[in-house]
Amino acid sequence: MRVFITGGTGFIGHYVVKALLEKGHDVVIATRHPNKVPSLRAQPKVSFVEASLTDFDKMGEGLVGCDACIHIALGWGETPTAMLMNDTRATITLLEMAAKAGCKKFIQTSSTAAMGRMRPVMREVTSNLPMDLYGATKAAGEAYVLGFRHGYGTNFPEVTMARNIIRPGYTFGNPAFSDGCSQPDRRFFEMARAVKENRDINIIRNDGTQFIHASQQAKLYVSLLESDKNEEIYLGLGSVWISWKEIAEKMIALKPGCRTKIVETDMGWGDDPMLFDVQKIKDHFGLVFDAHEFLDEHVKWTFDQV
């Protein structure tokens, strides 16, 4: 397939591009920074469209001849209107342009933040109750992706493009290429710096999540792309809950004689965490992810970077 991908030079994006190339696909990357990952520039099956998410003419031109569109890039803003214009509108416009270009498949990258407040049961069909503008933006994009399903006047007499959604959780990892990037969240790096400087690490008691490595996340994208699924939502999370305390302990163990202590603030969070149900990706694709197999490597890599 020829796959158009936004955000292909970003963290999750460049892992997805690597996985697509390994499966033999051609990739068109839409990015503001085509030279961000030089290794991708050297790939014969990769081409670039230099554009922001709101450069709609350039994006439309890049989509011509593509079989699928994977939307990973994020538009940002500090107000509801800015988030609407920079992210939600961009997602909807990309959806329309992909359909007009004849793409057979569209994958939107949403977020577990679209679901918002944690409840005893968290699975794909749990109602969205976003708690911030980021979550609201992603939830709104989901609604349009799923709702774009039948004919709309002369522009879209019918909709045949399969449309699916992935909601990633906390995704970590070393760069996919030596000149690539790591996750934008800096908590791993902040812990490593604290250990090297013999400062205490401050965490919330019982804080953690179902971490997933970026290469595991990329497997979900490729599995969905190569499937016949339509109008489905998938949680991109590991099956195992990992605490930030465990990560802090791994950091401290890398420095013998370290004077760093872990200081926990009790916010009243229970010992038994609320979990996201990831049974659906197992049932549909046979995917079960335990991030522990990558965690030690990433902790050491992070420690060596600071």
Side-chain angles (χ1 to χ4, degrees):
M1 273 188 276
R2 184 172 176 84
V3 183
F4 183 92
I5 178 169
T6 69
T9 58
F11 174 50
I12 292 177
H14 83 311
Y15 262 96
V16 174
V17 171
K18 182 180 181 182
L20 290 170
L21 293 174
E22 289 171 350
K23 296 299 290 287
H25 299 292
D26 294 307
V27 182
V28 180
I29 299 176
T31 176
R32 293 174 298 165
H33 308 291
N35 297 314
K36 183 177 178 180
V37 185
S39 292
L40 289 178
R41 272 291 202 189
Q43 297 288 335
K45 301 193 77 171
V46 174
S47 58
F48 290 85
V49 174
E50 187 172 353
S52 71
L53 276 178
T54 54
D55 289 334
F56 298 132
D57 289 342
K58 291 182 180 179
M59 301 284 266
E61 292 170 4
L63 280 160
V64 175
C66 291
D67 303 294
C69 176
I70 299 177
H71 178 34
I72 299 178
L74 168 68
W76 198 253
E78 299 298 330
T79 66
T81 302
M83 290 294 281
L84 170 69
M85 299 301 287
N86 296 335
D87 194 279
T88 304
R89 181 186 64 149
T91 297
I92 297 164
T93 305
L94 188 66
L95 178 73
E96 289 186 8
M97 291 189 300
K100 286 180 180 177
C103 288
K104 299 176 180 64
K105 300 181 179 185
F106 185 94
I107 298 175
Q108 181 209 1
T109 302
S110 181
S111 169
T112 53
M115 303 173 74
R117 179 170 55 83
M118 291 295 291
R119 284 148 280 174
V121 178
M122 297 293 284
R123 55 174 65 101
E124 286 84 354
V125 295
T126 301
S127 60
N128 285 339
L129 298 172
M131 299 175 66
D132 55 23
L133 290 179
Y134 172 66
T137 296
K138 292 305 180 186
E142 288 185 5
Y144 274 89
V145 169
L146 295 177
F148 184 55
R149 63 181 306 180
H150 57 76
Y152 295 92
T154 56
N155 284 334
F156 299 102
E158 61 177 344
V159 176
T160 59
M161 184 173 66
R163 295 150 288 103
N164 294 287
I165 296 161
I166 294 176
R167 292 173 179 162
Y170 193 109
T171 308
F172 73 95
N174 309 355
F177 301 92
S178 60
D179 49 9
C181 54
S182 182
Q183 68 267 20
D185 182 87
R186 308 310 289 174
R187 276 175 282 185
F188 278 83
F189 293 93
E190 290 164 2
M191 285 185 176
R193 193 168 290 110
V195 170
K196 287 201 169 183
E197 296 173 359
N198 288 305
R199 293 184 288 105
D200 291 343
I201 296 174
N202 295 288
I203 60 173
I204 297 172
R205 186 174 181 270
N206 293 330
D207 188 13
T209 190
Q210 288 158 260
F211 288 90
I212 182 170
H213 190 265
S215 64
Q216 297 171 322
Q217 196 75 260
K219 285 183 181 178
L220 175 56
Y221 276 90
V222 174
S223 296
L224 178 55
L225 176 71
E226 294 181 342
S227 75
D228 60 358
K229 303 299 182 185
N230 187 29
E231 298 179 357
E232 298 284 359
I233 300 173
Y234 296 97
L235 293 173
L237 290 157
S239 60
V240 179
W241 187 88
I242 300 171
S243 70
W244 281 105
K245 182 177 181 180
E246 178 181 344
I247 295 169
E249 289 170 343
K250 290 179 180 294
M251 289 285 185
I252 292 171
L254 292 176
K255 185 181 177 183
C258 176
R259 297 192 300 275
T260 296
K261 296 183 179 63
I262 299 172
V263 179
E264 296 183 272
T265 300
D266 192 346
M267 302 290 288
W269 297 1
D271 293 336
D272 297 322
M274 290 186 182
L275 301 177
F276 291 90
D277 185 343
V278 292
Q279 185 66 33
K280 186 174 179 179
I281 61 173
K282 180 180 180 181
D283 291 343
H284 286 205
F285 306 117
L287 298 176
V288 179
F289 299 125
D290 183 347
H292 275 108
E293 59 185 292
F294 298 98
L295 193 56
D296 287 342
E297 176 193 10
H298 185 61
V299 166
K300 185 178 186 307
W301 178 86
T302 306
F303 192 82
D304 291 341
Q305 299 305 302
V306 299

